[in-house]
Amino acid sequence: PFHYPPHWILACILALSLALSFTSCSDGSSGGSENDSGQVAAIIPKIYATADNITDKISSLSSGTHTIIVTGDVNSILTRNEGNSPSEIAAALIELKKSCPDAKVILDLSGTENLTEIPKSAFEGNPNYNTDNLVGVVLPNTVTSIGNDSFANAGITEISIPASVKSIGDYAFGYCSNLASVNLPDGLTSIGGLAFRGCYSLESIVIPDSVTTLMYGTFEDCSSLTEVVIGSGITEILAEMFCGWSSLETVHIPTTVTKIGAGAFQCGLDAKEKSFTIKYAGTVDDWNKIDIDMNASSVGATNDALLKAKIVCLADGTEGIYEELKNIGQ
């Protein structure tokens, strides 16, 4: 009859299996890893850190994805140093990238103190190294503004912006190429120029009614963007706002919009034959009153894509392409 092996043999087998589930970095350190199926091979405990020891915690990380819960006042380590060199936390991420390229970091800042602003370029790298090993950030509900370039070129895949945030700066999430999901809260009032430029994975965006300032090129080169909802606080869709799209399917435009700038809906070079649908909240008469700039922008972007767009005027049910609606009711 079959006999179970002694307990010490089982213990050895278990220890060996756990050891094999870890991967090593170039420095010989090890950590939990993810296999191709997305299943975690070993459970990695959360790491706790403060501003005083977080750089040491980051530098000691191994392959795999690690969640670091940060407490205390972190303003100093998020502030870019004199001479435009990276902040302490960005510098630590760069060093980790050099020593252990397979290590990924999620920073949970929800328990930090006195953090009211994510400073300019807080997580931005340098010309030689970006911080795409930063794959997630949890912000505290004390933050009221996200500074210019603060997450530029980071590797974050999604972010939920707290309801406390009122403004997002220029290029704040520029070229976060893995960013697929963004939650913009009610209460947000302004989004800076090129704030989400080059977010190639971003698929949809809802701009809340509270936003009254939406600067140029905010979603430029968001090639995967399929649906956009523009809130009623917006009166003008500025030049090059969605320039470079290739997947756009539906744009919801409120009656508050009175002007569409040059090149706001310029197609990407590989998408010139594509068209999309505009769902306009007003009547066809309202639509025809919108000042649409069909000239080229300062960089040569045009609104030619609007000529092929299907425009649905929800208030009276009228629909058609640009030229068909142009003179209806005039």
Side-chain angles (χ1 to χ4, degrees), residues 8 36 53 131 201-202 216 227 275-276 279 295 306 319:
W8 66 270
D36 291 337
N53 64 16
T131 54
S201 301
L202 188 62
Y216 65 95
E227 184 170 20
S275 62
F276 63 101
K279 292 188 176 181
N295 297 313
L306 280 175
E319 61 181 66

Side-chain angles (χ1 to χ4, degrees), residues 44-103:
I44 304 173
K46 293 179 180 179
I47 300 167
Y48 292 86
T50 65
D52 293 332
N53 64 16
I54 189 170
T55 54
D56 292 335
K57 297 283 188 180
I58 291 175
S59 65
S60 65
L61 294 178
S62 53
S63 296
T65 301
H66 308 265
T67 296
I68 302 179
I69 299 175
V70 190
T71 56
D73 192 327
V74 295
N75 283 282
S76 61
I77 64 170
L78 294 179
T79 302
R80 201 167 182 86
N81 296 311
E82 292 183 9
N84 208 33
S85 57
S87 68
E88 285 185 40
I89 200 160
L93 289 165
I94 289 171
E95 290 306 310
L96 176 64
K97 186 173 180 178
K98 294 177 184 178
S99 64
C100 192
D102 295 328

Side-chain angles (χ1 to χ4, degrees), residues 145-162:
S145 64
I146 296 175
N148 296 351
D149 305 282
S150 49
F151 292 94
N153 298 294
I156 56 175
T157 58
E158 62 179 300
I159 188 163
S160 181
I161 298 173

Side-chain angles (χ1 to χ4, degrees), residues 116-181:
T116 59
E117 175 189 14
I118 303 301
K120 177 181 178 181
S121 303
F123 298 101
E124 186 182 19
N126 59 34
N128 298 315
Y129 289 93
N130 59 34
T131 54
D132 57 358
N133 52 358
L134 178 65
V135 297
V137 176
V138 181
L139 299 178
N141 58 14
T142 54
V143 172
T144 59
S145 64
I146 296 175
N148 296 351
D149 305 282
S150 49
F151 292 94
N153 298 294
I156 56 175
T157 58
E158 62 179 300
I159 188 163
S160 181
I161 298 173
S164 55
V165 172
K166 304 302 179 187
S167 64
I168 297 174
D170 297 345
Y171 212 77
F173 297 94
Y175 288 98
C176 288
S177 58
N178 296 324
L179 185 61
S181 176

